[in-house]
Amino acid sequence: MSSSSTTADDILRCARSLIIKGGYNSFSYADISDVVGIRKASIHHHFPAKSDLVRAVVAQYRQEAAAALTALESHIPDPHEQLRAYVGYWETCISDASHPFCVCALLAGEIPVLPEDVVVEVRAHFRQLSDWLTAAFERGAAEGSVKLTGTARETAETFMATVHGAMLSARAYGNAAAFGAVTAPLLNRMTA
Amino acid sequence: MSSSSTTADDILRCARSLIIKGGYNSFSYADISDVVGIRKASIHHHFPAKSDLVRAVVAQYRQEAAAALTALESHIPDPHEQLRAYVGYWETCISDASHPFCVCALLAGEIPVLPEDVVVEVRAHFRQLSDWLTAAFERGAAEGSVKLTGTARETAETFMATVHGAMLSARAYGNAAAFGAVTAPLLNRMTA
DNA sequence: GTTCGTCTACCAACTGGTAGGTAGCTTGTC
DNA sequence: GACAAGCTACCTACCAGTTGGTAGACGAAC
């Protein structure tokens, strides 16, 4: 259970990037089999059903996101700069095409056709991110470095939605710069 | 070509609502066959390949959207109220669950796995909507009823992204009210 | 008498998933 | 130190059901 089993990690990594490409129904165990260099049946050994695999991908993603947001909080004291760093992270991911979409934002669009346990994880990610953003806006407003529109929660929800919509626009236009074009006014407006 | 062929329309309508549910790869000709009450092979008579069908769905959707936006423009003179009406339209669609997602916003997320001709249509919708919003913001700013953040184009792109992200949030939370919670601050902030 | 819409009957490829076997490692016991 | 037992990770071989798509026949309508 410690570390040796890199195969399960390889499968998770591969599944993640396939999900980012086109969601739950856009990939199969055969696709993973090709990339990881393992037989289809062996994937079922690690993740009995497809829903198990995708749930594991989202759970791992959420854990990493939580850790990254906590790290960001401890490295950057100013809430305004934290929000900028969050957006900057995605700007980098999109422009180098390494990880050009939030796993949960993509899966959220497919929720009506997703297995229930995956839906639960996706929903939890939205709550988690909204909570973090709300806290940042609250501190920022208290310190006077950030301007709210409505409550901190409302401002955070609007902020999150805009970032997700910006990912969609970048894909639609086939142009990574579209992400920055959307988020730059968002960040500017944030300043009191 | 005139009107008699309602079957093709039935197929288009059905395909549209299936796409709204979960995107390109979440439905099959068999699903449509069940709903429309026609054999799979007969669907192929109207739309030889799946990409033809989906391209037609998006093309029809774009045409309807263009007509609706034009109508909205002629009925509501004030640009600020036009933008409010646009958001209100989606708020209604989402709360009565009749049509709870923009076809093109959903497909945009899946672009890397979509047939090229569908991608072209989706991209065209984003341009079309962005143009309409930009024009509204330009007029609104000129008349003083709307406040810009950056250029009219930038403001429009941010506005569009926020509305799309709000659809995603409503799905993720499983709560139609989440759409309004995101868009209310968006509309309030718009006021000079 | 040809065009149109639908049908039945196929198809190969792929889907997620299962059954059963095997090689290698670890563990407990004599 | 030998050896059986159990476990893990992988394999081949298979499954039924579904996928998008085709061929060709039929009746109705213009």
Side-chain angles (χ1 to χ4, degrees), chain B residues 82-140:
Chain B
Q82 284 171 10
L83 292 166
R84 244 174 222 288
Y86 168 73
V87 172
Y89 165 77
W90 279 111
E91 198 156 8
T92 304
C93 286
I94 292 170
S95 40
D96 69 13
S98 59
H99 183 188
F101 219 101
C102 168
V103 171
C104 291
L106 218 163
L107 291 176
E110 300 178 320
I111 276 182
V113 298
L114 254 34
E116 191 48 37
D117 46 355
V118 174
V119 172
V120 169
E121 288 286 341
V122 170
R123 188 165 294 158
H125 173 81
F126 270 72
R127 294 235 169 80
Q128 170 183 310
L129 180 55
S130 171
D131 286 349
W132 186 85
L133 291 169
T134 301
F137 275 109
E138 269 168 0
R139 266 178 294 116

Side-chain angles (χ1 to χ4, degrees), chain A residues 2 32 111 156 176:
Chain A
S2 55
I32 295 174
I111 275 182

Side-chain angles (χ1 to χ4, degrees), chain B residues 149-161:
Chain B
T149 316
T151 65
R153 174 67 66 178
E154 282 172 336
T155 312
E157 288 287 351
T158 305
F159 188 93
M160 180 173 76

